[in-house]
Amino acid sequence: MTINGGISFWYATDPTAPRPPRTPLTTDATADVVIVGGGYTGLWTAYYLKRAAPDLRVTVLEQKFCGYGASGRNGGWLYNGIAGRDRYAARHGHQAAQRLQRAMNETVTEVIKTAAAEHIDADVHQGGVLEVARTPAQLTRLKAFHAAETGFGESDRVLHDAAGTRALIDIADAVGSSWTPHGARIHPLKLVRGLAAACERLGVVIHESTPVTELAPRRAVTPYGTVRAPYVLRCTEGFTAALKGQRRTWLPMNSSMIATAPLPPSAWESLNWSGSTLLGDMAHAYMYAQRTADGRIAIGGRGVPYRFGSRTDHDGRTQPATVTALTDLLFSFFPQLTGTPITHAWSGVLGVPRDWCATVTLDATTGLGWAGGYVGSGVATANLAARTLRDLVLGESTELTGLPWVQHRVRRWEPEPLRWLGVHALYAAYREADRREAATHRPTTTPLARLADRISGRT
């Protein structure tokens, strides 16, 4: 029987998951920096600020509990992808985007190193990322993707043919793949919980069960009191739309996952998946998967992509049709696993800007800052964003503050019902494009997908 919801598989299977909530805010307060959001971005920002300036009074306000959002529900991909790099290259030049990519490569190492230094056991294993093509059109995109990544400095990336791909993971219908070492499997919940504890050891004040309803220059307003501070940082990613005046800032895109029962050694041998390499593909409606520390496959992708009015779920439950679709996808990749029980299903939201570009911003005049819009690549990007916010708050001009995503602004999403109609139409187009490419075996991307990319803002 599949457990659907319960926040995520990571919560449902972690014996330490039930814990007393941290004390909510009970009255007005002051701080030097108030951070809204107790996920990766907010906690990493608090951590680095206190490490750099121990006397700084830093307060984190979290509406539920640390890791309630994407930080406790994601696929556990710590990797070097960043949303918007190609757009930044077009706007700021190739070298600027190359510096951004190099910073992301280094961020994977930074997270691993810092987790070890803080004694955070997050099931980290750096096996890299394998992105696979299963149709001729996907192979064409894969080769272009590989060339682009090497062009941005990834000299250690490796391109594999069909046989080379099967030697790494035996994926049905695989015709090629691209592997990068800049990726690691993690347990998302263990990382966010360990990070919160590290922040508290440094003296960060964390208030859970404290929803922020409004942000204004030098204050964060909650039902229980207002926290005033020279700097107010919004680190709410897919939950940004719940804040006053932010409904059209970032679109909360749904992503869903399933996890199998633990597989026996014979199954892993049949898959030839001996390490903890992360797995993705080149489909338009793409998938992502990991081999968990307890021997399961956790695989994710898009189900119902968006809820009307930028609404978000409450308990991580996903639609039965999405569970079925992800199960079918898993068995299409690995037919030898057909019939394997699916024990858990869940969903969460990620933040999508109108131009699909992740950003870090601080207005020195108002003290308002924010980071996010990671479009699903937030596990590592949140760390780079946090270190950048630290430098901006401290008024330091560094290599990080000079990266092209800093102070990037983007227009708002369309009002409803255009937003809902557009997103659902676009993802229907992407799914249809994948079906056409699989059926025709043509080596080119379908015009339907190219049109959807232009309309959505992805290109």
Side-chain angles (χ1 to χ4, degrees):
M1 184 175 179
T2 302
I3 299 173
N4 192 342
I7 308 302
S8 72
F9 157 76
W10 315 111
Y11 280 95
T13 58
D14 185 352
T16 68
R19 54 166 297 278
R22 293 177 172 89
T23 304
L25 184 73
T26 58
T27 187
D28 291 346
T30 61
D32 296 311
V33 181
V34 59
I35 297 169
V36 181
Y40 291 145
T41 305
L43 293 173
W44 277 124
T45 302
Y47 174 83
Y48 285 114
L49 280 169
K50 287 293 284 186
R51 287 295 300 265
D55 293 336
L56 211 60
R57 297 175 301 153
V58 179
T59 295
V60 175
L61 304 177
E62 163 56 40
Q63 68 162 333
K64 296 285 189 178
F65 49 83
C66 291
Y68 169 77
S71 298
R73 308 190 197 190
N74 64 77
W77 272 45
L78 175 68
Y79 86 120
N80 67 339
I82 184 166
R85 184 197 61 192
D86 292 345
R87 194 177 296 270
Y88 288 129
R91 180 172 296 186
H92 300 278
H94 185 83
Q95 288 187 338
Q98 194 172 48
R99 287 189 287 110
L100 180 60
Q101 185 60 67
R102 185 167 57 249
M104 280 302 308
N105 297 348
E106 295 166 352
T107 294
V108 174
T109 302
E110 168 69 16
V111 173
I112 296 171
K113 180 186 70 176
T114 305
E118 294 293 346
H119 306 288
I120 301 172
D121 181 6
D123 297 340
V124 178
H125 187 280
Q126 189 168 2
V129 182
L130 185 72
E131 299 184 81
V132 64
R134 301 177 67 210
T135 67
Q138 288 184 21
L139 183 61
T140 299
R141 291 196 296 275
L142 176 82
K143 291 178 178 178
F145 166 77
H146 181 88
E149 299 306 298
T150 56
F152 280 103
E154 271 200 76
S155 58
D156 43 6
R157 181 174 281 273
V158 181
L159 187 66
H160 296 283
D161 61 11
T165 301
R166 289 193 298 272
L168 294 170
I169 303 177
D170 190 5
I171 300 162
D173 302 321
V175 292
S177 61
S178 179
W179 178 84
T180 176
H182 302 290
R185 185 271 318 278
I186 67 161
H187 187 298
L189 176 62
K190 291 181 179 179
L191 178 59
V192 75
R193 287 201 154 173
L195 182 55
C199 287
E200 290 181 314
R201 288 195 297 270
L202 292 171
V204 174
V205 175
I206 302 176
H207 291 297
E208 294 181 325
S209 303
T210 305
V212 173
T213 56
E214 182 180 359
L215 300 180
R218 298 175 177 81
R219 68 181 185 274
V221 181
T222 83
Y224 317 118
T226 297
V227 180
R228 300 183 184 277
Y231 295 97
V232 179
L233 307 181
R234 188 188 80 219
C235 302
T236 47
E237 189 58 355
F239 291 83
T240 299
L243 293 167
K244 182 178 180 180
Q246 302 294 334
R247 187 167 296 277
R248 292 167 55 196
T249 299
W250 290 333
L251 186 138
M253 184 78 72
N254 289 294
S255 195
S256 299
M257 296 195 70
I258 59 172
T260 69
L263 304 180
S266 59
W268 288 112
E269 186 176 349
S270 74
L271 301 178
N272 203 32
W273 196 344
S274 59
S276 294
T277 303
L278 300 169
L279 175 63
D281 75 349
M282 299 304 294
H284 300 294
Y286 54 85
M287 59 76 72
Y288 51 95
Q290 68 148 281
R291 175 178 176 169
T292 68
D294 64 347
R296 306 168 189 259
I297 294 177
I299 181 172
R302 300 290 179 265
V304 175
Y306 173 72
R307 291 181 172 88
F308 189 87
S310 293
R311 294 195 301 270
T312 56
D313 69 86
H314 298 292
D315 65 353
R317 186 174 178 83
T318 195
Q319 299 81 6
T322 298
V323 178
T324 299
L326 288 174
T327 302
D328 291 345
L329 180 65
L330 170 68
F331 295 157
S332 77
F333 268 72
F334 305 113
Q336 59 269 56
L337 296 183
T338 299
T340 298
I342 304 302
T343 60
H344 295 81
W346 70 102
S347 65
V349 294
L350 50 99
V352 180
R354 189 61 182 85
D355 65 354
W356 297 67
C357 290
T359 58
V360 182
T361 299
L362 179 67
D363 186 332
T365 303
T366 64
L368 291 171
W370 60 87
Y374 304 133
V375 196
S377 300
V379 178
T381 313
N383 178 277
L384 179 60
R387 287 181 284 130
T388 306
L389 277 175
R390 170 202 60 193
D391 294 349
L392 291 170
V393 167
L394 297 179
E396 298 176 356
S397 179
T398 67
E399 289 185 5
L400 298 185
T401 61
L403 292 175
W405 70 328
V406 176
Q407 309 294 32
H408 176 76
R409 301 296 181 102
V410 62
R411 69 182 176 91
R412 291 154 64 85
W413 282 88
E414 290 78 5
E416 297 290 22
L418 297 178
R419 193 159 70 246
W420 186 91
L421 291 169
V423 173
H424 281 261
L426 287 168
Y427 271 88
Y430 285 133
R431 287 190 288 267
E432 176 60 23
D434 284 328
R435 283 193 290 269
R436 291 183 185 181
E437 291 176 0
T440 63
H441 296 284
R442 292 175 180 167
T444 55
T445 294
T446 64
L448 179 63
R450 290 197 294 269
L451 175 62
D453 282 343
R454 287 196 295 272
I455 295 173
S456 69
R458 293 174 72 171
T459 58

